[in-house]
Amino acid sequence: MGKIKIYFFNSKLRIKIILTFCILLAVNMILSSISFYFYANRSTSKKFQQNSQDILRQVNLHLEEKFTGLTQKVNAISSNLSFLNPMNEFLQNDQVTMDPILAGDIANKIFEIKNSDDFVDSMYICTSKYIFDDYLMIRKRGTVFEDTVMYRYFVYKPWETVAWFPSMENPLYESKSPIIPVVYRQKIRGENIYYVINLSKEALAEYLDGAYDAFETMFIVDENGTDVLGNEAELEKAVLKKADLDQVKEQQEWYGEVTAEGENYYAAAALMNVNQWRIYALSTTSSMMQDLKHIRWFLFLVSCLTSAGCLVIILWISDLLTQSLMELAGEMEKAGAGDYDVRFSYPYEDEAGRLGNSFNRMLDTIQDNIRELENEKEQVREVQKQKRKAELQALQAQINPHFLYNTLNMITWQAVSQGAEEISLISNALGKYFRISLSRGRECITLREEARHVRSYLEIQKIRYKAKLNYDIRIPEEMEYFHTIKLILQPLVENALYHGIKVKEGKGNVWVYGEVVGQNMVLTVEDDGEGIPEEKMALLNSKLQNGEVDSETGYGIYNVNNRIRLYYGEEYGLRLKKGICSGIKAVLTLPIRQMKGMVEDV
C-alpha cells in the first residue's frame, strides 16, 4: 500500500487525473449497479409480498365464508322447532329407540348440506340413543361415537360448543379419504346432541392447488400447530419454527423468509377467525428472482460500454487540463535557476491563469524586494535607535515615582518637626501607598503587602471623611505570605467608598477580610452603604462572568476582574453579592500560592 501511494504522488498530474477519474468512475458504476440491483430486489420482494398477502387474504376470506356457512346451516337445523320438538320427544321417550319420521327428516337435511358444499365429505348427528347418519356411507362395524376422540374432547371440556379437529381417518364410516371433522354440541333438556360435519381433506387440498398458481405449496395448521392440511413435512416444520420465533400466533397476518431443505422460501400466513386455523403459502425465492438475473447481465453490459466511453473522455480532458500547467512548470524551473525576467503568458482566467498571474506578480515582487533591500537595512538601523530611546524613557518613568515618594518621605519628617500631624500622616501614608504600588517593578506581591497598600489608602480617606468612615482589615496570619497580583483590593475599597459610604447618611463601615476555601483563597471587601438593586447586581455579575468592560458602571471592578482572569484563569475573578444592611460584598476568588522568603519593601 505504501509503494502504491508513493508511486501515485510521484506521478505526473496527467496520470493522477486519469487514475482519479477511473477510480471514481469504477466506484460510481459499482455503487450505482449495486444500489439499482438491491432496489429492484427490494421492490420485487415488496411487490411479491403484497401480492402474496392479497391472494392469501382472498383464499382466507373464501374459506372463512365456507366454514361460517356450515355453522349457519347447523344453527338453522338446531334452532328449527320442526327439528327440536320431535328430537325432544324422541330423547324423552325411553320406549322408542328410533323415530323413522325424524330419521328421514334429518337424512334430508344431511343430504342438502352435502350437496350444497363441495368441502363436506359426510355428516351425522349423534345422540345418547341413536346416530342419525348419512345413508350413502357404510358404517364401520362395532364403532360408536363415544369411542372417538371427538366425544372425549367434549367430555374433558364440557363448556365447549364447537370443536375443529385435525385431519384423521374417518372413525365411523368406511372411507379411504381422510377427513377434517367439525363438531357442534347442543343440549336439549340435559341431553347432548352432536352435529358432526366431516370436511373432505382432498377437496380442500384440490381447492388450494387449483384456485391460485402464485404459490408453490400451501398448508393449514390449527391453533396448536397440528397439521390440518399439508404434504411437505420438513418444509412445514421449518416454516412453523420460523413463524414461532416471529410470534406469528399474536399476528393476524405474517410474512417472512424461511430456509428448508437447501431452498429459500418466501412465506405468508393468515389467521382464520372462525376456527383459529392458520393458512400458510410458500414460494421459492429463485422463481421470484428469475427476472433479476437478466437485470444483472444488462447492468454489466451497460457499465462496460459506459466505462469505455468515459475513458476516452477522461484522456481528452486530462490533456486539456494539464497542458497549461506543464508550460507553467517549465517557466518556474527557469525562475528557480535565477532567471527572474521570465513571465508566463496565458489568455484565460481559470485556476491556471490565476496561478500564472500570481507567479508573475511574485517575480515582480522579488525584483522590487531586491532593489529595496539596501533601504530596509538603513530603516533597521533607525528602528534600533528608536528602541534604545524608548528604553531610556521607560527607565526615566520608573525613576520619577521613586523621586515622588522620596520627596513625600522628606515632607513627612518636616511636618513632624513642625507639629503638622495630619499632613505628616497623609504624606506618610501616601509614601507607603506609592512604594507598594511600585513594588520594585514586581507584578506579584504578598497578601500582607496588598493589605498594607489598602490600609495606607484607607488612612488617607479616614483623614478626609473623619468620623463618617470606619474600617477594619483582617487577614489571617497563615494567609499573609500568599501570592497575589498587586492592586486588586484598593479599587474595590475605592468603589465601596464612592458608591456606598459617600452617598449614605451617617457613619459607614468598610471591612476587608480573607479566608481559605478548599484550594482557593477568598478576599472580601464589604460595606454597609446604600447598595444597588438586585437587577443591576445580576447585570454586573453577568458582565464580570463574561469578562466584559463597562466604563459607565465603574472601570475599576472590571479592571480587577480581567487582570485576575488573565493571570490565573477564567474560573477565578470577582463576583458581587448582597452585604449586611443592603450593602455590597465584592468577593475575589484566587488560587493559593505561597511566597514565603520573599523580601518585602518595608
Side-chain angles (χ1 to χ4, degrees):
M1 186 66 183
K3 292 182 178 180
I4 296 176
K5 182 178 178 181
I6 294 173
Y7 170 78
F8 178 80
F9 284 105
N10 286 334
S11 301
K12 294 182 178 180
L13 180 61
R14 181 173 179 273
I15 301 300
K16 292 179 182 178
I17 293 175
I18 294 174
L19 289 177
T20 301
F21 273 100
C22 288
I23 293 172
L24 292 176
L25 177 63
V27 171
N28 180 64
M29 288 293 182
I30 293 172
L31 292 180
S32 299
S33 301
I34 292 175
S35 300
F36 179 79
Y37 177 77
F38 278 104
Y39 171 78
N41 188 359
R42 189 168 122 187
S43 178
T44 304
S45 175
K46 187 176 181 180
K47 184 176 180 181
F48 177 79
Q49 175 183 351
Q50 186 63 45
N51 292 338
S52 300
Q53 291 176 343
D54 291 341
I55 294 173
L56 194 59
R57 288 191 193 105
Q58 296 177 17
V59 174
N60 189 40
L61 180 61
H62 179 75
L63 293 179
E64 280 198 331
E65 289 177 351
K66 283 281 189 180
F67 297 153
T68 303
L70 291 177
T71 302
Q72 293 173 350
K73 291 173 184 179
V74 171
N75 290 336
I77 295 174
S78 62
S79 60
N80 195 332
L81 294 177
S82 63
F83 170 79
L84 286 176
N85 292 333
M87 180 61 76
N88 182 38
E89 293 177 5
F90 170 71
L91 294 175
Q92 297 300 322
N93 193 345
D94 295 335
Q95 303 300 323
V96 179
T97 58
M98 193 273 288
D99 185 346
I101 297 175
L102 181 61
D105 186 47
I106 292 176
N108 291 333
K109 289 180 170 56
I110 291 174
F111 181 76
E112 290 175 2
I113 292 176
K114 284 184 62 177
N115 285 344
S116 64
D117 196 324
D118 296 336
F119 288 164
V120 178
D121 176 79
S122 57
M123 177 180 176
Y124 52 90
I125 300 175
C126 296
T127 68
S128 59
K129 295 177 65 177
Y130 187 75
I131 297 178
F132 299 89
D133 55 9
D134 187 350
Y135 292 120
L136 298 179
M137 303 292 292
I138 302 174
R139 180 88 63 83
K140 289 182 179 180
R141 292 183 179 181
T143 58
V144 293
F145 181 70
E146 286 75 7
D147 293 335
T148 64
V149 66
M150 298 172 286
Y151 178 79
R152 291 194 295 271
Y153 175 86
F154 286 100
V155 171
Y156 293 128
K157 297 183 178 181
W159 61 87
E160 297 285 356
T161 58
V162 181
W164 295 75
F165 294 91
S167 61
M168 64 178 68
E169 183 182 347
N170 199 320
L172 292 183
Y173 296 109
E174 294 289 348
S175 176
K176 295 181 180 180
S177 300
I179 61 170
I180 302 172
V182 186
V183 182
Y184 302 87
R185 186 177 64 84
Q186 180 186 25
K187 273 187 176 291
I188 299 180
R189 295 190 178 182
E191 292 289 340
N192 287 322
I193 300 177
Y194 300 93
Y195 304 85
V196 182
I197 298 178
N198 295 319
L199 301 177
S200 173
K201 184 176 181 180
E202 292 181 354
L204 188 58
E206 184 179 351
Y207 164 74
L208 295 180
D209 291 339
Y212 300 96
D213 57 359
F215 306 109
E216 296 186 14
T217 183
M218 299 178 73
F219 66 89
I220 300 174
V221 296
D222 61 16
E223 59 182 340
N224 298 318
T226 306
D227 177 57
V228 175
L229 177 66
N231 54 7
E232 299 289 342
E234 294 300 324
L235 176 60
E236 179 180 333
K237 291 179 182 178
V239 173
L240 292 177
K241 183 178 179 181
K242 179 66 167 60
D244 185 58
L245 291 175
D246 290 347
Q247 298 180 343
V248 174
K249 292 181 180 180
E250 300 177 2
Q251 304 176 26
Q252 188 71 24
E253 295 181 347
W254 171 77
Y255 184 85
E257 298 183 18
V258 181
T259 301
E261 301 176 346
E263 186 72 57
N264 295 326
Y265 290 87
Y266 288 101
L271 178 67
M272 298 183 198
N273 294 317
V274 67
N275 52 14
Q276 298 302 303
W277 285 357
R278 193 173 294 276
I279 179 171
Y280 289 86
L282 295 92
S283 180
T284 58
T285 58
S286 57
S287 62
M288 189 197 74
M289 297 299 174
Q290 188 66 32
D291 293 339
L292 292 178
K293 295 180 180 179
H294 302 293
I295 295 177
R296 285 202 300 265
W297 285 109
F298 176 75
L299 289 175
F300 177 75
L301 179 61
V302 170
S303 298
C304 292
L305 294 176
T306 305
S307 300
C310 291
L311 183 59
V312 174
I313 296 174
I314 289 171
L315 293 174
W316 175 70
I317 291 177
S318 63
D319 287 337
L320 189 64
L321 294 177
T322 57
Q323 182 178 2
S324 58
L325 294 177
M326 294 293 293
E327 294 177 1
L328 178 59
E331 298 298 327
M332 286 183 173
E333 289 179 358
K334 294 178 182 179
D339 184 3
Y340 299 122
D341 294 327
V342 297
R343 293 296 183 271
F344 177 70
S345 178
Y346 188 72
Y348 304 108
E349 294 295 329
D350 58 4
E351 285 77 4
R354 291 198 296 270
L355 184 60
N357 292 334
S358 299
F359 172 69
N360 293 335
R361 287 195 298 270
M362 181 189 69
L363 293 177
D364 293 339
T365 302
I366 290 175
Q367 289 179 334
D368 292 340
N369 290 339
I370 292 174
R371 286 191 296 267
E372 294 176 0
L373 183 60
E374 293 299 326
N375 294 333
E376 289 182 357
K377 290 182 179 179
E378 185 64 28
Q379 292 176 358
V380 169
R381 296 189 189 98
E382 184 64 26
V383 168
Q384 292 295 331
K385 292 180 181 179
Q386 295 295 332
K387 184 177 179 182
R388 285 194 294 271
K389 183 177 180 180
E391 290 174 351
L392 290 174
Q393 291 175 347
L395 181 60
Q396 182 64 36
Q398 288 184 350
I399 294 172
N400 290 338
H402 282 282
F403 173 76
L404 177 62
Y405 71 71
N406 287 332
T407 303
L408 288 172
N409 190 37
M410 180 183 68
I411 293 172
T412 299
W413 288 109
Q414 288 291 331
V416 169
S417 64
Q418 296 180 13
E421 295 183 3
E422 286 192 354
I423 296 175
S424 173
L425 291 174
I426 292 174
S427 60
N428 184 44
L430 191 59
K432 293 179 180 179
Y433 179 86
F434 278 109
R435 173 171 290 211
I436 297 174
S437 296
L438 288 172
S439 302
R440 295 180 180 175
R442 289 182 285 124
E443 174 64 19
C444 297
I445 60 177
T446 64
L447 191 55
R448 181 179 180 182
E449 291 177 283
E450 182 69 12
R452 285 182 179 177
H453 181 258
V454 172
R455 189 180 300 277
S456 298
Y457 175 78
L458 284 171
E459 285 177 359
I460 296 172
Q461 297 298 333
K462 177 69 174 175
I463 295 173
R464 176 186 177 186
Y465 287 101
K466 301 189 182 300
K468 184 178 178 63
L469 172 64
N470 287 328
Y471 67 88
D472 186 16
I473 301 175
R474 295 186 181 183
I475 302 299
E477 185 178 351
E478 65 271 14
M479 296 179 61
E480 287 187 348
Y481 291 97
F482 284 178
H483 172 290
T484 177
I485 58 175
K486 63 184 178 182
L487 304 181
I488 59 174
L489 291 178
Q490 185 272 332
L492 303 182
V493 172
E494 182 178 350
N495 195 66
L497 288 176
Y498 282 93
H499 297 286
I501 304 303
K502 183 178 180 180
V503 297
K504 177 185 178 182
E505 294 183 2
K507 185 172 61 176
N509 295 280
V510 176
W511 299 277
V512 181
Y513 53 90
E515 59 181 334
V516 176
V517 179
Q519 299 298 318
N520 299 325
M521 61 174 170
V522 178
L523 304 176
T524 303
V525 176
E526 182 177 355
D527 65 78
D528 59 355
E530 290 296 320
I532 57 175
E534 293 185 1
E535 296 78 5
K536 184 175 181 180
M537 183 178 294
L539 178 62
L540 291 174
N541 280 324
S542 176
K543 292 183 178 181
L544 291 171
Q545 177 71 29
N546 297 326
E548 300 178 13
V549 176
D550 187 354
S551 59
E552 295 182 359
T553 58
Y555 180 80
I557 60 173
Y558 297 109
N559 178 270
V560 171
N561 180 64
N562 288 339
R563 286 174 58 217
I564 292 174
R565 286 162 59 92
L566 289 172
Y567 195 86
Y568 296 109
E570 294 185 358
E571 65 271 26
Y572 301 100
L574 170 65
R575 296 296 178 271
L576 302 179
K577 298 181 180 180
K578 185 176 180 181
I580 61 174
C581 300
S582 300
I584 297 177
K585 285 183 180 180
V587 181
L588 293 173
T589 303
L590 300 89
I592 294 176
R593 296 181 183 177
Q594 297 284 351
M595 292 189 68
K596 285 188 177 180
M598 179 175 287
V599 179
E600 300 182 20
D601 292 325
V602 181

